[in-house]
């Protein structure tokens, strides 16, 4: 099966009344920028936060410093906290967060280049549903950012379906 195109994802967002807020670190706004490519993007893109530094994650999104200290910046726990923070300060019903190591160096040396942690949080009538993944992408810095962005978008229907089924 072919990966869904951006048009497919946008159609899915509109059909399911999803409004997205992004909380991005390693993708540095590429996820929001991609969602803004089609005209009329205000129907599905609520807001975007690029919080590259540890301090920005804490100050803008309310990520707890103790969580970062315990799990590290590249962790599913931090990605989930970023998504929760973005959802809390927006009118969106879907938050997507990315944090990872795009390269060319590994920064803190704890995670290899290409490691990305992502989180998707859906808010609907049955509550809040959180999903996260840690994955690895090959390539140079921009290839990792692009692959993480595509992956984040492609997974929306999978997790949205799970959140609806979880009722």
């Amino acid at each position: 099966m072919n990966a869904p195109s951006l048009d497919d994802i946008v159609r899915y967002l509109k059909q399911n009344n999803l409004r997205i807020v992004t909380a991005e670190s390693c993708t540095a706004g590429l996820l929001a920028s991609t969602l803004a490519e089609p005209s009329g993007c205000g129907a599905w893109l609520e807001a975007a936060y690029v919080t590259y530094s540890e301090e920005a994650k804490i100050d803008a999104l309310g990520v707890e410093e103790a969580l970062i200290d315990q799990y590290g910046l590249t962790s599913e726990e931090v990605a989930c906290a970023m998504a929760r923070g973005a959802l809390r300060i927006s009118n969106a019903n879907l938050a997507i967060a990315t944090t990872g190591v795009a390269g060319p160096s590994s920064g803190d040396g704890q995670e290899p280049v290409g490691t990305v942690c992502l989180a998707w949080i859906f808010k609907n009538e049955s509550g809040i549903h959180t999903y996260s993944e840690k994955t690895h992408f090959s390539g140079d810095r921009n290839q990792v950012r692009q692959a993480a962005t595509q992956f984040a978008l492609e997974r929306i229907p999978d997790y949205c379906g799970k959140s609806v089924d979880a009722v």
Side-chain angles (χ1 to χ4, degrees), residues 8 18-19 32 39 42-43 47 73 84-85 97 102 106 111 119 122 125-126 136 156 160:
D8 295 332
L18 293 172
R19 291 191 50 81
S39 64
L73 287 172
R84 275 192 303 276
S106 63
E111 296 288 346
F122 294 86
E125 58 282 343
S126 69
H136 186 271
I156 292 169
C160 183

Side-chain angles (χ1 to χ4, degrees), residues 16 59 87 153:
N16 290 280
D59 295 342
L87 195 61
L153 294 173

Side-chain angles (χ1 to χ4, degrees), residues 51-117:
T51 55
Y52 217 76
S53 72
E54 180 176 332
E55 293 78 15
K57 289 172 181 64
I58 294 166
D59 295 342
L61 299 175
V63 175
E64 293 182 19
E65 187 173 2
L67 190 76
I68 294 170
D69 291 343
Q70 182 175 0
Y71 296 103
L73 287 172
T74 301
S75 64
E76 290 180 67
E77 291 82 3
V78 168
C80 288
M82 291 169 62
R84 275 192 303 276
L87 195 61
R88 185 183 68 253
I89 58 177
S90 74
N91 292 314
N93 57 6
L94 167 56
I96 303 175
T98 64
T99 185
V101 185
S105 66
S106 63
D108 64 10
Q110 294 180 2
E111 296 288 346
V113 171
T115 303
V116 179
C117 295

Side-chain angles (χ1 to χ4, degrees), residues 133-149:
E133 290 189 43
K134 182 176 188 175
T135 190
H136 186 271
F137 302 103
S138 298
D140 66 22
R141 176 178 182 74
N142 286 325
Q143 289 169 324
V144 169
R145 291 176 59 235
Q146 184 62 49
T149 295

Side-chain angles (χ1 to χ4, degrees), residues 9 20 22 24 27 31 35 94 96-98 116 118-120 122 135 137 145-157 159:
I9 296 297
I20 297 178
T22 64
E24 300 180 67
T27 51
L31 181 54
L35 286 164
L94 167 56
I96 303 175
T98 64
V116 179
L118 304 100
W120 300 260
F122 294 86
T135 190
F137 302 103
R145 291 176 59 235
Q146 184 62 49
T149 295
Q150 185 65 31
F151 185 82
L153 294 173
E154 288 175 1
R155 300 295 280 154
I156 292 169
Y159 288 132

